Amino acid sequence: MTSYDTYQDPLNSRYSSSEMKYLFSPRNRFSTWRQLWIWLAESEKELRLDITDDAIQQMKEHQIIQDDEFDVAAKEEKKRRHDVMAHVHTFGVKAPAAAGIIHWGATSCYCTDNADLIFLRDGLDILLPKLATVIEKLSSFAKDYKSLPCLAYTHLQPAQLTTVGKRACLWIQDLLKDLKNLERAREDLRFRGVKGTTGTQASFLQIFDGNHSKVEQLDELVTQKAGFESAYIISSQTYTRKVDADVLNALSSFGATCEHIGQAIRLLASFKELEEPFESTQIGSSAMAYKRNPMRSERLCSLGRKLRNLNADASATYAAQWMERTLDDSAIRRMCLPQSFLCADASLILLNNIASGLVVYPAVIKKRVEAELPFMATENIIMALVKKGVSRQDAHEEIRVLSHEAGEQVKQHGKDNDLIDRIRRTSFFKPIIGELNELLKPDTFIGRCPEQVDAFYEREVSKAVKKYVDAGSLKVQEAAELHV
């Protein structure tokens, strides 16, 4: 392996298990530039410009940049201080019949910007099926636990019950918004095409002797060869950096979701209600051998936090561009674009791993519910008394007094919640003593949670992931790395 291709052998396939890393690798970047030059030359030849078959054949034979060529390009760039021209020279050395026509009529952004749009498109195509897979796996989890009562929390204090599956649907709902945001960003992408130095296409108009139709045809041909349905009609030297901002805003929003879900799992792990996968030989702490730290969820939070802040780079770069283009966009984009996609990809690998093996502890959940249920049942008890003809206000006062007494036993003396025993011993509650067991069943406190989970999956989730299921995209991700 070399420093230019630490991810896979590009001669065998475009992407491997580390496809996102290869997408943004030096080898793929410069090989994509060469492919763009091939498409340009092919299209110009199709429009009757004087380009030989031999020139195009040599270019095609050397489309993938080889290890030794990186050194050639680096030496040329050191001399010329221009990366694109260094690679024009390097490509021409390998394809001498094409040396004179490589980059004909183009500006540097023909290579750099069109390549970046390809990377944005392909990066989103990598992420979307992975996100759909996570949604589907969490949906299976939600359906499995749609009826298991657990404590809900508002202000991080125990509140009325929900279910484990219903809570997971809150996460899924946010991930569905991320799926739609990324799909929208993908659908909005267009190609820069062949636009010249300031977007006017003047150089190509000169090449084709003022023939506007051929310039338009050239733009369309290259756009089609690159796999885009259309190109931006209007551009400056670059495609508008608003595009980067829009894509990174969608990725940033997903990063916030990752941190949100990771924090929830960490909190539930601290309650011992739920855990992320923990392998038999995994070590939680070098000192405390008993620890089962939620390190995957912690890493997910860390990556999510980084990702949700990277969109600021794209927005600031867009805002700072002067007129038709300034080069202060270059260095920062070379960092924030790959970083955003790599962070998102790593987060999805973690989410896939976590969703594949979440562990639920029903006995712990039941114990925690029972500790709080007496207080939560008080409203049901009051309503039952009213049905028996007891004053609602009198019932409320009796419950209030007993609740405070029981609360004092719990908080001041560390004892169990004995509110129900106090109710049983108080004659005021005699009319509903026979109903107490029924009034205290956790299942009666979860409302329509099971029905909501089923409806949510059928009406929203299944429709959102259907095209990925039909395309077999989810199956591809089933073999994702689990030892994360």
Side-chain angles (χ1 to χ4, degrees), residues 44-85:
E44 290 173 335
K45 178 177 173 57
E46 289 173 33
L47 294 171
R48 302 294 187 266
L49 290 187
D50 187 16
I51 297 174
T52 66
D53 291 338
D54 192 31
I56 290 176
Q57 183 61 34
Q58 287 184 13
M59 293 170 76
K60 288 182 175 180
E61 289 173 355
H62 297 282
Q63 188 256 319
I64 301 293
I65 187 171
Q66 300 300 305
D67 290 354
D68 62 300
E69 295 179 84
F70 284 96
D71 291 334
V72 175
K75 290 175 182 176
E76 187 68 15
E77 183 176 354
K78 187 175 181 180
K79 181 169 62 174
R80 304 298 182 189
R81 309 303 296 174
H82 197 290
D83 56 350
V84 172
M85 289 306 296

Side-chain angles (χ1 to χ4, degrees), residues 34 65 69 72-73 76 85-95:
R34 292 185 175 189
I65 187 171
E69 295 179 84
V72 175
E76 187 68 15
M85 289 306 296
H87 280 273
V88 168
H89 166 79
T90 305
F91 198 16
V93 171
K94 288 291 185 178

Side-chain angles (χ1 to χ4, degrees), residues 128-129 132-133 135-136 176 179 183 457-475:
L128 283 165
T133 296
I135 290 170
E136 185 65 18
L176 281 179
L179 187 71
E183 287 176 337
Y457 183 79
E458 293 303 322
R459 297 179 195 172
E460 297 189 31
V461 179
S462 62
K463 294 178 181 178
V465 301
K466 183 179 185 300
K467 66 181 179 182
Y468 302 98
V469 174
D470 292 346
S473 301
L474 301 191
K475 295 179 181 179

